[in-house]
Amino acid sequence: MNELEWFEEAYRQHADFCFHLGRHYLHEGQDEDVLYDMVQDVFMTLWNKRAELIAHPNVGGWLALAVRYRMMSRNKEQRKQNFHHAYSLDEEHQFELTSPQLTPEQQIELWGRIDTLREILGEEDSLLFLAYAIGGYKAKELGARFDLTENTVHVRISRMKKKLVAHPELFYALLLVSMGALRMA
């Protein structure tokens, strides 16, 4: 079997599974074109690495991991971009609660919990904590952004977590923020 036949066979056997797996990593409202692009990139990588992968004992497993990692990496990068835009320290922002799933009473309650987070931690620490806990930023990235050392970021996050243990009601608000129910305009 030559390389082209091997590649075509791999695509025929595993493409549907890759698309099926990738759908599990799509967020609500995300266009399936993202998935098609990611799966196409994975198969392009398979073709480019064919010399080493043609002898791989489990090409389907390699493809599944590649799809998973690509989708997770893309989603993480998208969250970072959304968070950076929403919580930019360089701009003034107006906050807006927008979610068709929440009633006005729930939105007011959620907003109060975010205000409580700010009261407990302070403005800068609440931004630091949200960037770490929800944005997925690493301590090194946050240190550069907030002009802190990486060790200082770890210490501050640890202290914030200890403060927040006494306020489990904030978990709901943070969860909704991470799911996109609270957006900043």
Side-chain angles (χ1 to χ4, degrees), residues 71-101:
M71 292 298 290
M72 288 173 57
S73 176
R74 189 209 177 277
N75 289 341
K76 182 178 180 182
E77 197 58 39
Q78 187 66 43
R79 281 193 308 272
K80 281 184 180 181
Q81 289 175 359
N82 291 344
F83 187 83
H84 178 71
H85 175 72
Y87 286 97
S88 174
L89 297 176
D90 301 329
E91 302 173 14
E92 292 291 323
H93 293 287
Q94 298 294 321
F95 293 90
E96 169 183 67
L97 287 170
T98 58
S99 176
Q101 297 92 8

Side-chain angles (χ1 to χ4, degrees), residues 14 25 37 46 68 76 84 89 94 100 118 127 129 136 138 146 163 166 169 184-185:
H14 304 292
Y25 293 98
D37 291 344
L46 178 69
R68 178 176 178 253
K76 182 178 180 182
H84 178 71
L89 297 176
Q94 298 294 321
R118 286 196 180 104
L127 289 174
F129 183 77
K138 304 274 189 248
F146 286 85
K163 283 182 182 179
E169 73 279 2
M184 302 164 88

Side-chain angles (χ1 to χ4, degrees), residues 40 49 51 53 61-62 66-67 70 153:
Q40 180 180 354
K49 294 185 174 191
L53 293 173
W62 184 90
V67 168
R70 288 269 169 97
V153 171

Side-chain angles (χ1 to χ4, degrees), residues 1 145 175:
M1 177 183 305
R145 183 169 177 171
L175 180 64

Side-chain angles (χ1 to χ4, degrees), residues 96-104 106-107 110 176 180-183:
E96 169 183 67
L97 287 170
T98 58
S99 176
Q101 297 92 8
L102 298 178
T103 66
Q106 289 171 321
Q107 290 177 356
L110 174 60
L176 286 175
L182 176 70
R183 288 189 286 179

Side-chain angles (χ1 to χ4, degrees), residues 100-161:
Q101 297 92 8
L102 298 178
T103 66
E105 294 81 17
Q106 289 171 321
Q107 290 177 356
I108 291 168
E109 181 183 343
L110 174 60
W111 188 243
R113 290 182 184 186
I114 295 297
D115 284 343
T116 302
L117 178 74
R118 286 196 180 104
E119 290 171 14
I120 293 168
L121 299 179
E123 188 66 33
E124 183 177 352
D125 277 353
S126 64
L127 289 174
L128 182 67
F129 183 77
L130 290 170
Y132 176 81
I134 294 171
Y137 285 90
K138 304 274 189 248
K140 186 175 184 177
E141 296 169 312
L142 292 170
R145 183 169 177 171
F146 286 85
D147 197 29
L148 303 168
T149 66
E150 188 174 345
N151 191 45
T152 301
V153 171
H154 284 293
V155 170
R156 285 176 72 175
I157 294 292
S158 177
R159 288 181 184 159
M160 287 182 250
K161 286 179 181 178

